[in-house]
Amino acid sequence: MLAHSNRIIFGLIGVAAGVSLSVVYNRFFCCRQQHATDESRGAVSPKKEGTRVIVVASSNKTKIQAVRSAFEKLFPSLALEIHGVAAKSGVSDQPMTEAETKQGAFNRACHAKSLFAGEADFYVGLEGGVERKVQTLDGRHGEVLVQPGLECFAWMVVLDGKGTKVSTARTGSFFLPPVLQKMVEEGMELGHADDVLFKRTNSKEDTGTVGILTNGAINRAAYYEHAMCLALIPFLQEELYVPV
């Protein structure tokens, strides 16, 4: 196998169509291990029984951790081999609608699958986005409360290795404070806006917006993890997800 069970391999992987998982493995490890063995430089060996290979369509360590945690919780008896690949979203760097965000997650998963078709059991795409919403609530005395703002959320898409099943799920959502909303609506990507406003560095690979705004009570990995668990339900309960 490319790695021992339950080991995550990180690294930026070029997104050239037709690159096999074994070639990626060679390129990544040969530059880091000068004395690699012949076995490590060889082709992908047959999977061990019970092992699941998962390709995450991102090199973001926070997203990879969220995927790993979800799979470990829902499939505790399986050995997992997880790989991150820099995949294209096909949407803007900062998705500004629900539909664009969901499409971005799907595109990432599909791109990862096109790179490693037939070599993994699952391909996962994750995409964070925002959408301007006007929240209208009826008060106890009939008054209407209007709360305009920029709603923040993320979509998860999971494709199976056979190409026969796709599952999606969405995180919970929250509204950005006006100062962040203004920065994003003026064209700044949310992660960059966080770094500028809160004087952070690469916060989207750390606690994320949700972690900053909750004072660390919910970090980005945990925020994505629950939605990943929901996206995996059809694979966990396969016998229930059949036509009736």
Side-chain angles (χ1 to χ4, degrees):
M1 296 302 294
L2 294 181
H4 294 296
S5 300
N6 294 320
R7 179 179 179 183
I8 294 180
I9 295 177
F10 296 100
L12 294 176
I13 301 174
V15 288
V19 177
S20 72
L21 199 56
S22 59
V23 172
V24 171
Y25 174 76
N26 292 340
R27 290 176 181 173
F28 178 65
F29 277 96
C30 284
C31 68
R32 299 192 59 172
Q33 297 181 344
Q34 295 181 358
H35 303 290
T37 64
D38 290 338
E39 181 180 358
S40 71
R41 292 193 296 268
V44 178
S45 60
K47 289 191 303 181
K48 294 179 181 179
E49 185 177 356
T51 299
R52 295 295 183 269
V53 177
I54 302 145
V55 174
V56 183
S58 176
S59 57
N60 186 310
K61 63 182 182 180
T62 300
K63 291 183 177 182
I64 295 172
Q65 181 57 49
V67 173
R68 173 180 178 148
S69 296
F71 270 92
E72 286 181 340
K73 284 185 176 180
L74 269 66
F75 302 98
S77 63
L78 295 180
L80 304 176
E81 186 177 324
I82 304 178
H83 305 270
V85 55
K88 297 178 181 178
S89 70
V91 299
S92 59
D93 290 341
Q94 178 56 69
M96 295 299 291
T97 68
E98 188 96 40
E100 185 183 18
T101 305
K102 189 175 184 179
Q103 187 65 52
F106 179 69
N107 290 348
R108 287 185 188 276
C110 289
H111 190 203
K113 187 171 183 178
S114 73
L115 296 177
F116 307 126
E119 298 190 50
D121 298 287
F122 298 96
Y123 303 88
V124 182
L126 309 88
E127 190 77 17
V130 297
E131 182 169 277
R132 187 170 179 79
K133 295 279 184 73
V134 176
Q135 184 173 251
T136 303
L137 301 171
D138 292 330
R140 289 183 298 174
H141 304 292
E143 70 270 22
V144 176
L145 306 176
V146 180
Q147 180 188 341
L150 209 55
E151 188 178 28
C152 186
F153 48 81
W155 274 95
M156 319 285 127
V157 173
V158 182
L159 307 178
D160 73 340
K162 300 177 183 177
T164 59
K165 185 181 296 185
V166 57
S167 179
T168 65
R170 182 185 183 278
T171 64
S173 62
F174 58 96
F175 283 86
L176 297 179
V179 61
L180 270 180
Q181 176 180 334
K182 184 175 185 294
M183 295 170 76
V184 172
E185 290 184 329
E186 288 178 348
M188 192 174 290
E189 189 266 332
L190 181 56
H192 184 204
D194 287 334
D195 290 345
V196 172
L197 181 62
F198 301 106
K199 296 178 172 54
R200 303 291 183 95
T201 300
N202 201 22
S203 57
K204 65 183 180 181
E205 292 207 32
D206 190 15
T207 62
T209 307
V210 67
I212 294 172
L213 295 180
T214 63
N215 290 336
I218 304 174
N219 62 34
R220 194 182 190 198
Y223 180 57
Y224 280 16
E225 182 189 321
H226 87 278
M228 269 304 308
C229 288
L230 298 178
L232 290 175
I233 289 176
F235 301 100
L236 180 66
Q237 308 291 351
E238 287 186 310
E239 70 282 1
L240 297 177
Y241 284 80
V242 293
V244 293

